Amino acid sequence: MSNLSGIFHSAAEVPDFAKIPRIEGRILIGGKIRSSGFKSRPVISPCSLVGPDGKLSNPEIGTTPDLDEKQFMEAVDAAALAWNKGRGEWPTARMEVRIQAIQSLKQQILAQRDIICRLLMWEIAKTWTDAQAEFDRTIQYMDDTLEAVKALDRDCSRIQFSGGIMAQIRRAPLGVALCMGPFNYPFNETFATLIPALIMGNTAVVKSPRFGVLLWDALLEAFKNTLPPGVVNIVNGSGRTIISPSIQAGKIDVLAFIGSSPVANKIKLAHPEPHHFRGVLGLDAKNPALILPDADLDIAASECVRGSLSFNGQRCTALKIIFVQKSVARPFIQKMVEAVEKLKVGMPWQPGVSITPIPDPMKLGQLKSYVDEAIQMGAKLSNPKSGGRVEGSLYWPSLVEGVPLNSKLATEEQFGPVVPIVEYDSTDEFEDYVVHSPYGMQMSLFGRDPEKLGGLIDHMANQVCRINLNAQCQRGPDVFPFTGRKRSAEGTLSVTDALRSFSIRSMVAAKQDPSGKQLVQDILHGDHSHFLSTHITL
Ligand code: G3H
């Protein structure tokens, strides 16, 4: 037991703010919340507890719906009915009506802050601090979206004149959106697509990720109370079996998916008319860091540790491979080892904890196999004291140096607390790696020489979509564009870009002659249209 003390708690030792939740997951379809009529599967927490016998076990914290194809199709049909081929109450509503509804939704979601954060902690082992940050960032995202949409609405309310034509150009919704967020940000990243989709007038089906499912139950009443029936439908089930039929039937117009590229490809290819099946996708990434010989090694090491190991490295924006110039490799790796050894490993409610349990039970074996393979190919563990230790679902971060570029650790997205390090002679090796990589999200460059950095920027800007100078990779602030090249993304997310991603420009045009002017004026002055309108949302 002694090696476990301080890391694992008994149920009685869990502090009050973190008390174990229990949720029996329900679904929302067509404005009705249902608690029966479907199969469910248990949800087991990755956070281990010590029992009276000293053994570790993982508590069951609830159940989640496990819908079949037919039941999932019901949710899609409910969204299609609310869309009603574009004639539904929601897609034709004035922007100010939708804004008011989303504002009320936000107020009701705020009341669920405590349970949502607690569920993020128990279900995906997000630290209490990070769980609260995820919640608060999402509320901020909602606020920013509402402000951005008001500005967009103001811009679109102008009548434009050109070449004898008068026109009003607005952004109109696309149809039914299928929103699927990832397990690492199940609340934030789903809302980052769902809210823009809704505010632009689309209807939606939300399918929860593999982990991070229970929080949706806490939100059902809020959605039911604030939006017309069928505008949002919230369900769960095995994506592998339930999604394809509705895609094949052409019932989904937009796929908003944050996850893996093979899954995204499979879903997209299932659509009968791919040209009008829009994808808003955040996918795989293998963001590299480059440490130049003149880099400030303290800054580089501290940013690389945060960049590669925040939330156990389970971020699409995590640094997933580090290239360090040979002349500074030893001191850099030494600083990394020292910083990693200081990271506190434990349960997500413990103060100051950084490394927490891994939600996917299959991941521990995968990480071990990647590290073993790299070591067999000549790599070495830089932190053998603790690197790779496993207790329950905790994995102590491994720093692996001398990683061969043809190993899985260099080519696959590990999505976990393993940091591959490659020592290079010339930056050409890094550039070649990036050019031949199938991923293209972000990178971090650490150095001081403006000429060298300028040259790298010019080349690398055509390979990735964000270059971070002397800083880790990250998505935020959310007003900045978040996207990627190659296998890493389709479409762009940011507060404003997302509004465009979930809409299409649609315009009303008339000849700029007396009868055209008169007709437009009559429609405007009589307030006969929600679309052709100069009404401004304040
Ligand atoms: O997993 C991908 C997230 O969008 C990362 O967001 O960089 O703010 O942690 P973050």
Side-chain angles (χ1 to χ4, degrees), residues 18-21 45-47 59 61 118-124 349:
K19 60 184 180 297
I20 310 179
S45 172
C47 303
I61 54 173
R118 209 141 49 86
L119 286 167
L120 287 172
M121 204 167 52
W122 277 95
E123 210 187 328
I124 57 164
W349 52 83

Side-chain angles (χ1 to χ4, degrees), residues 137 182 184-185 188-189 258 310 314-318 320 415 441-442 472-476 478 482:
R137 176 181 179 177
N184 58 336
Y185 284 87
N188 178 266
E189 296 239 19
I258 318 286
S310 297
Q314 303 168 122
R315 292 159 61 228
C316 53
T317 48
K320 294 184 181 124
F415 218 77
M441 189 178 276
Q442 299 194 13
Q472 62 155 320
C473 297
Q474 61 181 22
R475 175 180 172 152
D478 290 326
F482 178 51

